[in-house]
């Protein structure tokens, strides 16, 4: 009888301790299934960078070298002060910490970090470009970014990097005296473009594109960096005790569980780059009144009109390898005010957030998803999460490990 | 059985349940994907599988539809329309797949399949033969 009492008491005590422990600290270990999900978000799951058949120099070492020079070259701007690196700063995760970027003027969307950009399918927040090289030449001719024209880019590149260019792309044509000319420029630049012969336009376009292809080759080398979460997952999955720089607190582990569970963050922020590379309307506010940015919905017409896509004459890809463009979903209504899910690596260190930097802190981002307000335009995909204050704090702690 | 044994057993069961619930959460959905299905109007027996099982789910890739009559004869002159979505999330596919090739012997290539989220997808095939259309839906767990 005494032994029975003892056994009963012992079991009761164990249960009480377990319950109390769980209530106080939560369950901070990962089950096998949770570890599998966590691993899918870690660098261990990052595949090899996909080839870019539309860019024949995508993985060419000389192009990487030339691209690195071009990336920092302020000579490709209207005032001689703006380069790619102006808004994509290497020591700031290749973004600029600003709500709106500043080149010749001010942009209307936030600059995006570049690590892992070579894995993407669609470029810019609205995916209006389908290759990294085509993305890279966009800002050069944007009036508020570099404010340059393609004829000026072509002349600058041939004059500044003649040997590098020739080694990669063969003998360059001699460009006659050409005034600043671009089909996308101001009235005078467009008029100048109209006056050029078709072969001259083609020569300029080709040099312009090769400039982008070299920059893209460089940008493909900007791989995602290992973070504390990666190190923790590596240690745990190989059965080792996480080292000093690889520990996650119970709160951070609980935050991962919110991320992958009740928070549904993983629905769109999946894989080793923590993005699905797709477009979603999450009801984020529009800084413009009335709201005007329709995101992906306006990208389809731009892709159709763009000579620099995978299917265009300046692409090195066979048309039947341009699967993303060939099978693209393109219903304007469905994509109203959708924007690309950004990857979340390093996210805590680069406020402000969203496509227009309209949310200042990560706490406010979590509040936004928890509340799920209606979209200013189109239809928001998210629903209120009902996270407790503790779950929100845990989620924030987890995001800071990335 | 005296009351202490009952109490001990009850406590042990509760304890086991507690431990199981807290330390071994439900595993990911491991439901088997259906291999072949009969169409709604019972016109066809259809299978629908990835052309290459190693394809990346979030890049456009091809699937193969195999269509037979109820008697097991291959249907060689079908036209197939495909769409899909996740009912649980209320969204469709990130691509617009289409039939790109009749491979003969009742096999058809559907290219442009892509899944931007893991989980349970519904894949709808509308199969038309001689102006008669029948449909079939596959519930497919994509990992």
């Amino acid at each position: 009888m005494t032994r029975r009492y003892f056994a009963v008491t012992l079991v009761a005590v164990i249960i009480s301790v377990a319950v109390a422990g769980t209530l106080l600290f939560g369950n901070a270990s990962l089950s096998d299934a949770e570890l599998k999900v966590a691993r899918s978000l870690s660098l261990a799951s990052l595949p090899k960078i996909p080839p870019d058949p539309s860019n024949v120099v995508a993985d060419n070492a000389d192009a990487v070298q030339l691209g690195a020079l071009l990336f920092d070259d302020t000579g490709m701007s209207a005032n001689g002060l703006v380069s790619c690196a102006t808004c994509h700063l290497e020591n700031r995760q290749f973004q600029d910490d600003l709500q709106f970027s500043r080149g010749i003027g001010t942009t209307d969307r936030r600059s995006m970090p570049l690590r892992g950009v070579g894995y993407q399918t669609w470029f810019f927040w609205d995916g209006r470009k389908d290759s990294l090289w085509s993305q890279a030449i966009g800002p050069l001719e944007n009036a508020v970014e570099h404010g340059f024209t393609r004829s000026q880019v072509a002349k600058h590149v041939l004059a500044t990097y003649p040997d590098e260019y020739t080694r990669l792309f063969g003998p360059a044509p001699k460009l006659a005296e050409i005034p600043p000319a671009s089909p996308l420029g101001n009235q005078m630049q467009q008029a100048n473009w109209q006056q050029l012969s078709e072969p001259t336009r083609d020569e300029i376009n080709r040099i312009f594109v090769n400039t982008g292809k070299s920059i893209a080759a460089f940008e493909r080398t900007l791989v995602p960096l290992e973070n504390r979460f990666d190190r923790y997952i590596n240690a745990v999955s190989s059965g080792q005790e996480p080292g000093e720089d690889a520990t996650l607190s119970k709160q951070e582990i609980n935050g991962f569980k919110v991320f992958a569970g009740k928070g549904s963050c993983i629905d769109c922020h999946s894989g080793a780059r923590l993005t699905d590379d797709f477009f979603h309307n999450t009801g984020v506010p529009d800084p413009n009144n009335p709201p005007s940015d329709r995101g992906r919905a306006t990208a389809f017409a731009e892709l159709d009109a763009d000579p620099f896509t995978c299917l265009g004459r300046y692409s090195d890809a066979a048309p039947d390898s341009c699967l993303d463009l060939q099978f693209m979903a393109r219903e304007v209504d469905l994509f109203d005010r959708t924007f690309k899910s950004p990857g979340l690596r390093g996210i805590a260190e680069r406020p402000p957030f969203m496509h227009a930097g309209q949310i200042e802190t990560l706490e406010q981002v979590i509040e936004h998803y928890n509340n799920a307000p209606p979209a200013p335009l189109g239809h928001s995909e998210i629903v209120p999460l009902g996270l407790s204050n503790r779950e929100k704090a845990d989620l924030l702690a987890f995001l800071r490990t990335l | 059985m005296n009351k202490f044994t009952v109490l001990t057993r009850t406590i042990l069961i509760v304890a086991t349940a507690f431990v199981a619930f807290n330390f071994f959460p439900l595993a990911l959905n491991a439901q088997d994907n259906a291999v072949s299905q009969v169409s709604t109007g019972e016109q066809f027996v259809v299978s629908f599988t990835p052309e290459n099982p190693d394809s990346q789910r979030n890049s456009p890739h091809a699937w193969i539809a195999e269509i037979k009559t109820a008697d097991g004869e291959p249907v060689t002159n079908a036209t197939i329309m495909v769409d899909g979505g996740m009912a649980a999330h209320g969204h469709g596919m990130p691509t617009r797949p289409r039939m790109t090739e009749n491979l003969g012997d009742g096999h058809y290539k559907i290219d442009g399949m892509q899944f931007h989220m893991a989980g349970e997808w519904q894949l709808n095939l509308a199969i038309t033969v001689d102006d008669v259309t029948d449909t079939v839906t596959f519930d497919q767990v994509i990992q």
Side-chain angles (χ1 to χ4, degrees), chain A residues 1 4-5 7-8 11-12 15 18-19 22 27 29 31 33-34 36-37 47 267-268 270 275-278 280 323-324 326-331 334-335 381, chain B residues 2 4-5 7-8 11-12 14-15 18 22-28 56-61 89 91 93-98 100 111-112 114 116-117 143:
Chain A
M1 224 28 164
R4 282 229 175 97
Y5 269 124
V8 169
V11 170
I15 290 173
V19 170
T22 304
N27 167 19
S29 65
S31 68
E34 286 167 338
K36 192 177 158 200
V37 175
D267 285 357
C268 299
S270 54
T275 172
D276 63 356
D277 292 308
F278 201 56
H280 302 278
L323 298 179
D324 295 300
Q326 302 255 28
F327 294 100
M328 169 176 75
R330 50 173 306 153
E331 296 82 356
L334 277 182
F335 287 93
E381 296 167 31
Chain B
N2 70 38
F4 292 110
T5 314
L7 183 61
T8 310
I11 289 171
L12 279 174
V14 170
F18 176 84
N22 278 278
F23 295 91
F24 301 97
L26 283 180
L28 292 172
Q56 294 286 319
R57 72 165 160 84
N58 202 10
S59 293
H61 60 280
H89 295 276
H91 65 68
M93 294 180 84
T95 46
R96 295 295 170 260
R98 57 179 181 268
T100 52
D111 214 339
Q114 184 174 339
H116 57 297
M117 197 185 288
Q143 302 287 351

Side-chain angles (χ1 to χ4, degrees), chain A residues 39-294:
Chain A
R39 211 175 146 74
S40 76
L41 303 178
S42 82
L43 270 192
S45 306
L46 187 73
K48 265 179 60 181
I49 194 163
D52 179 0
S54 74
N55 180 0
V56 76
V57 300
D59 299 303
N60 178 310
D62 290 333
V64 171
Q65 218 164 20
L66 175 57
L69 296 173
L70 292 165
F71 189 86
D72 280 329
D73 189 343
T74 55
M76 295 191 291
S77 65
N79 63 2
L81 297 172
V82 179
S83 74
C84 307
T86 302
C87 303
H88 300 283
L89 292 88
E90 179 169 6
N91 62 356
R92 293 304 311 146
Q93 300 183 27
F94 292 96
Q95 53 87 47
D96 62 7
D97 295 324
L98 299 170
Q99 178 178 17
F100 299 120
S101 295
R102 291 178 201 136
I104 298 300
T106 304
T107 63
D108 53 7
R109 292 197 191 133
R110 171 124 174 55
S111 78
M112 305 187 89
L114 298 184
R115 290 205 171 274
V117 74
Y119 287 83
Q120 292 181 16
T121 306
W122 305 107
F123 300 84
F124 292 119
W125 282 100
D126 55 13
R128 66 182 182 275
K129 289 288 191 174
D130 71 337
S131 72
L132 191 47
W133 60 265
S134 186
Q135 186 282 327
I137 53 180
L140 298 175
E141 290 194 301
N142 186 314
V144 298
E145 298 186 58
H146 295 241
F148 228 32
T149 59
R150 63 189 68 180
S151 68
Q152 292 170 292
V153 169
K155 284 175 68 173
H156 175 82
V157 168
L158 293 191
T160 317
Y161 312 99
D163 299 339
E164 292 92 334
Y165 186 90
T166 308
R167 198 178 316 136
L168 277 164
F169 303 109
K174 282 236 172 328
L175 292 179
E177 268 312 302
I178 297 170
S182 163
L184 305 178
N186 61 30
Q187 225 168 4
M188 177 169 296
Q189 293 161 346
Q190 289 194 32
N192 289 340
W193 183 257
Q194 292 307 320
Q195 281 172 8
L196 297 174
S197 69
E198 182 50 40
T200 303
R201 288 186 206 167
D202 183 56
E203 283 174 344
I204 291 170
N205 278 343
R206 207 158 283 281
I207 301 162
F208 187 47
V209 161
N210 288 340
T211 303
K213 288 179 177 173
S214 303
I215 296 172
F218 163 66
E219 290 180 322
R220 282 168 64 84
T221 67
L222 306 177
V223 293
L225 301 180
E226 189 181 72
N227 59 30
R228 188 152 55 86
F229 173 74
D230 298 317
R231 290 191 285 272
Y232 174 82
I233 296 302
N234 268 344
V236 172
S237 21
S238 56
Q240 290 166 353
E241 192 64 29
E244 209 174 288
D245 62 344
T247 53
L248 289 195
S249 69
K250 287 175 179 170
Q251 184 180 38
E252 288 161 347
I253 291 174
N254 286 335
F256 158 74
K257 293 180 187 183
V258 175
F259 185 90
K262 191 174 173 182
S264 300
C265 316
I266 200 170
D267 285 357
C268 299
H269 297 287
S270 54
R273 291 177 297 115
L274 295 119
T275 172
D276 63 356
D277 292 308
F278 201 56
F279 304 89
H280 302 278
N281 183 335
T282 58
V284 290
D286 194 313
N288 306 302
N289 190 15
S292 56
D293 194 338
R294 301 226 169 232

Side-chain angles (χ1 to χ4, degrees), chain B residues 3 5 25 44 65 68 75 80 88-89 102-103 109 116 141-142:
Chain B
K3 63 179 177 182
T5 314
F44 310 114
K68 293 178 180 169
V75 176
I80 307 171
H89 295 276
N102 183 340
L103 300 165
K109 183 170 175 174
H116 57 297
V141 176
I142 304 291

Side-chain angles (χ1 to χ4, degrees), chain A residues 281 294 333 336-337 375-380:
Chain A
N281 183 335
R294 301 226 169 232
D333 289 352
D336 198 6
R337 208 175 153 72
L377 289 169
H379 172 70
S380 173

